[in-house]
Amino acid sequence: MKRSLNLILLISAFVFSCQPPTEKGLKDEFQDEFFIGVAVNGRQVNGSLPKADSLLNLHFSSLTSENGLKWSNIHPKEGEYAFEFGDNYVRKGEEMNAFIVGHTLVWHQQVPTWVFQDQEGSFLSKEELQDRMNEHIETVVGRYKGRIDGWDVVNEAFEDDGTWRKTHWYLILGEDYIAEAFKKANQEDPKAELYYNDYNVWKPEKCRAILKMAQNLREQGIRIDGIGMQGHYRLDFPSLDQIEAAILDIHQAGFQVMITELDVDVLPRPSDFDGADLNISIEDSEIWNPYTDSLPSAIQEKLKNRYISLFGLFSKHSDKISRVTFWGLHDGSSWLNNWPVRGRTNYPLLFDRELNLKVPFNND
Ligand code: GLA
């Protein structure tokens, strides 16, 4: 609990003093525990937003590329790469002396359909797709060799019940696609850390499947350093006990734990969606978008308390957790304004749309 209080005290001190006395940010408060990371977009790394820039410099010791290094962004067409974001991103991370994470090499979303097909639209053979995956990893990891410190090599390969997600990667290459991706990434940059990343890792059957896969890689002598638990949470779900159980299981199995995509959705959900399946999109309506002007103070309090208890848990396990990364710098740039319902006004992060620290955190 002490750590959580420190978080709030730090934030209060920062907000109330006209000049933060020591220019200490979140990253300094947690420097003995874990990196404090944030996912960033193109405008946030090209120097065009001075306020965003100063928040990044003050508060964060790690960066993750939000969308810019995903296949469809960096490799939109066969033989055509777009490195502008990546180059700015890595430069920005180096200026900040941050731990730089590449997200993500092999995923079933935000990957163009051409990747899996030939010119006639037929699916590629195993060998052809493997060549394509290898060429992508070689080019992208190779370009940032020695500069990107850790890669989310594979994202979201399992369903919530622990079965394999039947993606094109899986259907064409078989289970070994994960091993091949990690082998190739390690070959291109042997010093970079390599991670598997997923949502709902707190679900025991999913966690078990991930750890079985990861241990299987290790048994084959393939390097895998950590498991990223995407922290797309809600105000009251999942419970701290559920999250804690997964942290303990991952650590016990011998892998680093990272909380990779932290945000707290404060809006009502149309049904029982959890996790982060991007296929879900439901029409906007007032019922699902109740706080367009501002967030009621009772909910702001809940948000504050949720963050306090989450950080209390993370601090308790700081010997197991290497990084806690927020999924977005401020509420205005959060994906949760558009998922699972498009065009809503959500408040999931620590900084508001004007990039100020939010009310719940400054009235302690
Ligand atoms: C998943 C992915 C992220 C991002 C989020 C939603 O969690 O790993 O890259 O797309 O969904 O923004």
Side-chain angles (χ1 to χ4, degrees), residues 65-67 70 103-104 107 109-110 152 155-156 197-199 230 232 260-261 263 275-278 327 334-336 339:
S65 49
E66 185 179 11
N67 289 305
K70 290 175 180 171
H103 174 85
T104 178
W107 189 27
Q109 300 271 14
Q110 294 177 263
D152 288 337
N155 206 32
E156 302 176 355
N197 188 54
D198 213 327
Y199 62 82
Q230 299 180 15
H232 297 300
T260 53
E261 305 188 11
D263 47 30
D277 186 336
L278 295 177
W327 201 246
S334 169
W335 74 296
L336 287 172
W339 188 91

Side-chain angles (χ1 to χ4, degrees), residues 219-249:
E219 278 156 23
Q220 297 176 60
I222 299 167
R223 167 140 188 223
I224 169 167
D225 299 288
I227 307 296
M229 296 175 63
Q230 299 180 15
H232 297 300
Y233 299 139
R234 300 179 64 189
L235 283 171
D236 51 6
F237 184 81
S239 71
L240 290 190
D241 287 350
Q242 287 171 313
I243 300 169
E244 183 169 42
I247 294 171
L248 292 171
D249 285 349

Side-chain angles (χ1 to χ4, degrees), residues 270-310:
S271 78
D272 193 22
F273 296 134
D274 46 35
D277 186 336
L278 295 177
N279 285 323
I280 296 163
S281 176
I282 292 158
E283 264 181 43
D284 191 1
S285 97
E286 275 173 30
I287 307 170
W288 307 118
N289 193 19
Y291 313 129
T292 47
D293 293 336
S294 64
L295 191 64
S297 55
I299 308 215
Q300 295 188 22
E301 273 301 294
K302 281 193 182 172
L303 180 70
K304 178 180 79 174
N305 291 333
R306 180 66 160 157
Y307 270 119
I308 288 176
S309 54
L310 284 169

Side-chain angles (χ1 to χ4, degrees), residues 114-154:
W114 66 260
V115 173
F116 304 101
Q117 295 175 356
D118 63 19
Q119 306 230 320
E120 282 76 50
S122 306
F123 284 114
L124 298 184
S125 68
K126 185 170 179 176
E127 291 65 33
E128 288 165 330
L129 183 59
Q130 190 60 60
D131 284 350
R132 228 165 238 189
M133 182 208 272
N134 287 348
E135 190 268 337
H136 178 82
I137 294 177
E138 193 176 312
T139 308
V140 178
V141 177
R143 185 174 180 94
Y144 301 112
K145 180 178 179 181
R147 301 180 74 195
I148 285 193
D149 301 296
W151 279 99
D152 288 337
V153 180
V154 175

Side-chain angles (χ1 to χ4, degrees), residues 298-325:
I299 308 215
Q300 295 188 22
E301 273 301 294
K302 281 193 182 172
L303 180 70
K304 178 180 79 174
N305 291 333
R306 180 66 160 157
Y307 270 119
I308 288 176
S309 54
L310 284 169
F311 271 85
L313 178 68
F314 301 153
S315 287
K316 178 176 167 196
H317 294 296
S318 62
D319 59 327
K320 308 169 187 69
I321 296 176
S322 54
R323 170 165 57 89
V324 177
T325 289

